[in-house]
Amino acid sequence: QVQLVESGGGLVQAGGSLRLSCAASGRTFSTYTMGWFRQAPGKEREFVAATSRSGGDTAYSNSVKGRFTISRDNAKNTAYLQMNSLKPEDTAVYYCAASRRYLSVKGLDYEYWGQGTQVTVSS
């Protein structure tokens, strides 16, 4: 069992930055691919980024590539999402999730989810 708690969301102006954190419980954090997803009002949940167990491999959606950076610190059981050059269309609830699948971009492959943190980007 893995419990995930996101933090770091908030209100920011377009062009600004935020760093989201995802703290995981348990001793098995390093055995999971960690992913970030987001869901905007009235829209389906979408993949944002994922990092492999070691953090050596990453994947990004085209909409955030070059602006967002996913990372993890296995010693601290924490994953991060650094978001730069934020745009109003990045406004959403952001969720972190854990998967046994290698670097999956599919939400259905993720077994554990956090409660989400709101990110709002004003124009």
Side-chain angles (χ1 to χ4, degrees):
Q1 187 78 5
V2 177
Q3 291 185 325
L4 304 173
V5 179
E6 302 95 337
S7 62
L11 173 65
V12 64
Q13 288 188 332
S17 298
L18 282 175
R19 187 175 84 153
L20 305 183
S21 298
C22 174
S25 65
R27 301 179 181 178
T28 60
F29 177 75
S30 63
T31 67
Y32 289 91
T33 286
M34 295 301 297
W36 287 94
F37 292 77
R38 67 187 182 186
Q39 188 167 21
K43 295 188 177 181
E44 293 186 355
R45 182 181 63 196
E46 65 172 346
F47 169 76
V48 175
T51 179
S52 61
R53 299 172 185 176
S54 69
D57 295 324
T58 57
Y60 296 93
S61 69
N62 288 335
S63 62
V64 307
K65 196 173 296 183
R67 299 188 298 123
F68 291 10
T69 303
I70 189 171
S71 62
R72 66 190 297 162
D73 185 337
N74 286 341
K76 295 183 177 179
N77 279 12
T78 303
Y80 305 96
L81 185 68
Q82 177 67 44
M83 306 186 295
N84 298 329
S85 302
L86 282 161
K87 305 175 181 179
E89 51 263 45
D90 294 318
T91 295
V93 177
Y94 283 71
Y95 300 89
C96 70
S99 173
R100 293 286 191 185
R101 295 285 188 100
Y102 171 77
L103 218 57
S104 176
V105 303
K106 299 178 181 179
L108 290 176
D109 287 337
Y110 285 76
E111 297 102 298
Y112 302 103
W113 292 81
Q115 293 297 310
T117 185
Q118 176 71 47
V119 171
T120 303
V121 184
S122 63
S123 58

